């Protein structure tokens, strides 16, 4: 397995680059990061729509969330791949199709993460801001979102992990991401599929596991901060001592 | 300053305020007391529109605050509100908590707003806490900061919703002290509280509520020595025991 890695590490890492298109793990991370960066603002808007007091915003946002959470990602990819060129009237590169599909799909999930973060805040925060005379947008911008987004950071990271894994579905529309590179290596060697795909699996695991661990670390830090932040927080009451029988 | 005209409020089919008609004059301190569930907190929350009402009118400085087309945000910045649970913004320092409203809606410069905030902090005895986060404050200190924050837009009236109920007993005094100072400075105040000593000492009038109705509206001397309504008599005798 090590010699496979030694002979093909460049292909795994960057695909045919610089002699051909960029690919491999770098491509996977590039797709994932651009997917997250583009999905985040969309998710924020959808989340704000979901909690909006106005039906005009609430209904479409709710519809988007339910539609995408109720469809398999592979189907979203196919739709983007086959339907979008018909709409645009021109071929769309695989990279853009995959990122677009990811943004559509992940926005719905991230929106629910952000909404949970907003709804987990004590109602008093909203009331206090409104009582000061801040209008709804200012209350959101200065009081609610800074806290809610910070608190939902671990869940956003977790969502990012599943986003990384979803990029491997780009394989079906021939985006030369990490899984695609592994398949190429496999085609070169022909006889060692288990080893090649073990490398793929272990690398995915290493990347995703380290991100999950980061998320957990951040989460612990937030919990610690929050428990210190609770007004009038007292040390836990020691249990009533039960005399042990002699 | 504040006028209730025949105010009705319902939660679904349960009526929790019934025909409230009363007024708070400029510079007056009104303490609202009564058994729990009597509608005190609901009443005070209707004044700045945190709770909608279904009937009647509430006028603050002559403006009907539940009317359509009223700039509720502008009105709210003219009504200080102090919560039972402080509701300080945990992601901001004490100073930022106080300067938020003046900076974002008062169109004040930063140095100007911070000067005001520091003098308010001095007034509540917490000058040294300006750059601290709320998590590092005790309950009493948090509530004093919340009072300073409520005063930041220099409102002519300030409302207190059970400001000492969430505090450890030894911290009640420091908050009441600040409130007494405010009362003596001529601020118009309305305060829901169970602190009868405070009521006796600083209130101009006491409203006794039960079942969503104001049963008594009397100066403290009269209310404590000679309550007219049997429900108020029972409430006071229960307090003494």
């Amino acid at each position: 397995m090590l010699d496979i890695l030694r002979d093909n590490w460049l292909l795994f890492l960057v695909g045919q680059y610089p002699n051909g298109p960029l690919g491999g793990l770098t491509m996977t991370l590039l797709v994932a990061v651009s997917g997250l960066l583009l999905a985040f603002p969309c998710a924020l808007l959808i989340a704000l729509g979901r909690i909006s007091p106005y039906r005009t915003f609430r209904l479409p946002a709710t519809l988007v969330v339910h539609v995408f959470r109720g469809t398999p990602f592979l189907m979203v990819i196919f739709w983007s791949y086959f339907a979008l060129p018909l709409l645009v009237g021109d071929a769309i590169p695989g990279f853009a199709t995959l990122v677009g599909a990811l943004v559509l799909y992940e926005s719905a999930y991230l929106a629910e993460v952000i909404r949970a973060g907003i709804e987990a805040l004590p109602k008093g925060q909203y009331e206090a801001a409104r009582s000061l005379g801040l209008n709804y947008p200012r209350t959101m911008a200065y009081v609610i979102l800074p806290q809610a987004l910070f608190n939902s950071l671990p869940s956003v990271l977790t969502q990012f992990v599943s986003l990384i894994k979803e990029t491997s579905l780009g394989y079906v529309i021939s985006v030369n991401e990490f899984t695609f590179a592994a398949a190429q290596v496999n085609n070169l060697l022909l006889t060692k599929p288990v080893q090649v795909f073990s490398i793929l699996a272990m690398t995915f695991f290493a990347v995703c596991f380290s991100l999950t661990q980061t998320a957990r670390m951040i989460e612990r830090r937030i919990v610690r901060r929050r428990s210190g932040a609770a007004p009038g927080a007292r040390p836990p009451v020691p249990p009533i001592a039960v005399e042990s029988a002699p | 300053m504040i006028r209730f005209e025949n105010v009705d409020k319902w939660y679904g089919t349960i009526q929790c305020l019934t025909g409230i008609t009363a007024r708070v004059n400029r510079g007056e301190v009104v303490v609202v007391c009564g058994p729990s569930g009597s509608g005190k907190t609901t009443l005070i929350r209707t004044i700045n529109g945190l709770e909608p009402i279904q009937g009647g009118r509430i006028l603050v400085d002559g403006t009907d605050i539940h009317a359509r087309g009223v700039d509720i945000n502008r009105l709210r910045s003219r009504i200080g509100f102090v919560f039972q649970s402080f509701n300080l913004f945990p992601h901001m320092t004490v100073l930022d908590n106080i300067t938020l409203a003046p900076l974002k809606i008062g169109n004040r410069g930063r140095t100007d707003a911070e000067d005001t905030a520091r003098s308010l902090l001095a007034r509540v005895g917490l000058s040294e806490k300006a750059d601290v986060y709320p998590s590092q404050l005790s309950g009493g200190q948090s509530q004093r900061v919340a009072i300073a924050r409520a005063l930041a837009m220099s409102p002519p009236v300030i409302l207190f919703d059970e400001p000492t109920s969430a505090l450890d007993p030894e911290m009640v005094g420091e908050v009441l002290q600040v409130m007494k100072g405010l009362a003596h400075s001529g601020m118009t105040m309305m305060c829901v509280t169970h602190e009868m000593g405070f009521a006796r000492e600083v209130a101009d009038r006491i409203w006794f509520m039960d079942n969503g109705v104001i049963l008594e509206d009397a100066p403290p001397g009269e209310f404590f020595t000679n309550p007219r309504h049997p429900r108020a008599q029972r409430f006071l005798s229960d307090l003494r025991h």
Side-chain angles (χ1 to χ4, degrees), chain A residues 125 127 130 142 147 234, chain B residues 45 76 88-89 91 168:
Chain A
Q125 290 291 311
E127 290 181 345
R130 295 308 303 268
Y142 301 120
Q147 297 185 64
R234 294 181 194 82
Chain B
R45 284 165 61 93
R76 279 175 175 153
L88 294 179
F89 307 131
H91 60 301
D168 288 339

Side-chain angles (χ1 to χ4, degrees), chain A residues 108-184:
Chain A
Y109 280 90
L110 274 177
E112 290 297 273
V113 166
I114 295 172
R115 180 173 73 99
I118 293 173
E119 287 178 347
L121 287 180
K123 214 165 156 245
Q125 290 291 311
Y126 175 82
E127 290 181 345
R130 295 308 303 268
S131 296
L132 284 173
L134 269 65
N135 60 15
Y136 185 84
R138 284 185 174 125
T139 299
M140 285 293 152
Y142 301 120
V143 175
I144 303 299
L145 288 180
Q147 297 185 64
L149 294 183
F150 180 77
N151 291 347
S152 48
L153 207 60
S155 315
V156 170
L157 261 184
T158 311
Q159 200 57 44
F160 182 54
V161 168
S162 67
L163 201 151
I164 289 176
K165 292 185 289 184
E166 277 155 10
T167 58
S168 62
L169 285 172
Y171 179 79
V172 299
I173 54 168
S174 305
V175 177
N176 45 356
E177 40 69 62
F178 194 33
T179 314
F180 192 83
Q184 277 182 320

Side-chain angles (χ1 to χ4, degrees), chain B residues 170-192:
Chain B
E170 75 267 25
M171 293 171 184
V172 170
E174 61 191 72
V175 171
L176 290 182
Q177 207 56 47
V178 168
M179 292 169 63
K180 280 177 201 165
L182 265 179
H184 293 315
S185 74
M187 175 66 91
T188 309
M189 287 167 61
M190 193 167 150
C191 180
V192 174

Side-chain angles (χ1 to χ4, degrees), chain B residues 33 37 41 60 95 107 121 138 162 191 200 221:
Chain B
C33 65
T41 289
V60 178
L95 199 68
N107 297 321
L121 276 177
S138 72
E162 305 206 23
C191 180
R200 200 189 294 262

